[in-house]
Amino acid sequence: MPELPEVETMRRGLAKLVGSRIMGVSRPRSPLRPITIHPGLPALRRAVRARRIVQVGRLGKRVVVWLNSSRAIVIEPRMTGRLLLSTPPDRKHVRLVFRLGGRRKQQLTFWDSRGLGVVHLLRPEEFAENFGPHRLGPDALLITQKMLQIRLRASRRAIKVALMDQRVLAGIGNLYASEILHRAKIHPELPCNRLGPSQWRRLHQAIRRVLREAIRAQGSTLSDGAYGTSDGRAGRFQTAHRVYQRHGHRCPSCQRGTIRRIVQAQRSTFFCPRCQPLGNR
DNA sequence: ATTAATGTTCAGAA
DNA sequence: TTTCTGAACATTAA
């Protein structure tokens, strides 16, 4: 699940490539189904050859590599995709290799165990069309409390589900949604239109705090091995998780409640029933 | 050995 | 319009 902190960690790892030339891209043969490339590998090959990387950005949970041809390569890691400048964990799940210029023979590897990741090659107008404001809300680290409130206050959806909607705000997924709501002391099933002013304030603060702390720790690395830095090291935020996958444990905040697991929108939600009351406060 | 669970995104249905 | 459901996929735990 790379979410905002994990993708931001990837972006920072790739920032040193600004100015580098891409010499070529290849898809190593593998028994696994190839990942999706829009509009296809041949087009990607032609587009990257001898182009320079002028900027590496992030768009919610996606990494954007801008070329000096003003084309963008958008990489969606989805569940298990990783961008690595170091040796990948295995060869089998290497999906794409970008050969970089310079005497160091550097390679940028897209490694993805489940293969749900997607790569797009886009002209500027296509970029705006596919990833503009109508498809993606403001970045979770940039959105103001007022913007968040305006976008959600009329909705009857559960707040946890709404937080994961990338059209509302971009970057929050299942793990951080639970952690943020626990920090904000808000029940995950509380409908958006039932939040009071103090809850909106706590929610906005919790989004900023949790995401910033997680970025500082270089994201969360879970037992399934995915995620970490571009040089292959693990993130450290998983040790700071207060509720995620901690059902049955004592709540670290109140020391008295027991973390529960429920299912919302077919995904696990973790929360402390004692710290996170359903009522309005 | 089979089965469930994992979680992001999108298409299509309610 | 808004909200919900299922499928894509590989791996691991039960």
Side-chain angles (χ1 to χ4, degrees):
Chain A
M1 70 232 53
E3 304 178 29
L4 188 150
E6 291 75 30
V7 178
E8 176 62 17
T9 300
M10 287 183 205
R11 188 198 66 77
R12 292 181 182 188
L14 265 53
K16 66 180 73 148
L17 300 183
V18 168
S20 297
R21 207 183 281 281
I22 303 181
M23 307 310 286
V25 55
S26 56
R27 181 162 62 190
R29 49 186 316 112
S30 158
L32 303 176
R33 167 196 140 287
I35 59 154
T36 304
I37 301 170
H38 292 297
L41 183 58
L44 181 64
R45 277 216 158 93
R46 286 193 299 273
V48 302
R49 172 156 299 154
R51 294 298 178 183
R52 282 189 191 278
I53 296 172
V54 295
Q55 197 185 135
V56 184
R58 178 180 60 75
L59 205 57
K61 302 174 189 173
R62 298 166 171 98
V63 174
V64 186
V65 177
W66 288 97
L67 307 177
N68 60 349
S69 54
S70 79
R71 300 238 191 151
I73 304 172
V74 174
I75 297 135
E76 290 184 19
R78 300 269 181 117
M79 284 298 292
T80 49
R82 299 186 66 177
L83 285 167
L84 295 166
L85 292 170
S86 57
T87 309
D90 60 50
R91 298 183 64 92
K92 184 180 172 192
H93 300 98
V94 172
R95 310 292 179 152
L96 221 44
V97 178
F98 294 88
R99 294 184 305 282
L100 303 171
R103 62 179 59 147
R104 293 207 284 150
K105 284 194 169 178
Q106 263 197 316
Q107 291 189 335
L108 174 62
T109 303
F110 184 60
W111 182 95
D112 186 351
S113 97
R114 286 175 65 179
L116 294 173
V118 177
V119 174
H120 307 256
L121 170 70
L122 301 157
R123 305 168 192 284
E125 65 274 16
E126 297 170 317
F127 180 81
E129 193 179 313
N130 283 281
F131 302 107
H134 56 292
R135 302 288 303 279
L136 281 179
D139 191 85
L141 275 180
L142 300 178
I143 196 169
T144 63
Q145 183 189 325
K146 194 170 232 172
M147 288 157 76
L148 182 67
Q149 225 165 319
I150 287 169
R151 297 175 85 87
L152 289 179
R153 66 186 172 198
S155 171
R156 293 185 301 273
R157 292 150 103 188
I159 184 63
K160 154 80 159 38
V161 177
L163 280 181
M164 296 193 299
D165 184 339
Q166 304 302 298
R167 288 166 310 192
V168 172
L169 76 173
I172 296 174
N174 200 45
L175 190 162
Y176 290 100
S178 283
E179 291 296 324
I180 285 165
L181 288 171
H182 181 258
R183 210 78 76 100
K185 302 194 188 300
I186 296 170
H187 195 292
E189 288 180 304
L190 186 63
C192 296
N193 61 3
R194 305 285 271 284
L195 267 74
S198 61
Q199 289 176 314
W200 285 115
R201 189 175 41 77
R202 292 204 308 270
L203 178 59
H204 182 252
Q205 280 181 343
I207 289 170
R208 299 186 63 83
R209 247 179 88 195
V210 170
L211 295 181
R212 292 182 59 136
E213 281 179 27
I215 290 171
R216 194 146 47 119
Q218 301 185 303
S220 303
T221 299
L222 300 180
S223 54
D224 62 4
Y227 336 120
T229 64
S230 59
D231 39 291
R233 299 196 316 273
R236 300 180 302 276
F237 194 71
Q238 59 281 1
T239 61
H241 293 172
R242 299 190 181 178
V243 290
Y244 185 73
Q245 287 185 347
R246 298 198 52 78
H247 47 302
H249 288 79
R250 191 59 50 85
C251 170
S253 283
C254 68
Q255 314 275 1
R256 303 182 60 182
T258 301
I259 307 301
R260 285 228 303 143
R261 173 188 178 273
I262 60 174
V263 174
Q264 292 179 279
Q266 298 137 238
R267 291 159 175 108
S268 297
T269 298
F270 302 90
F271 72 107
C272 170
R274 201 163 171 282
C275 297
Q276 298 170 258
L278 240 185
N280 200 346
R281 291 222 302 128

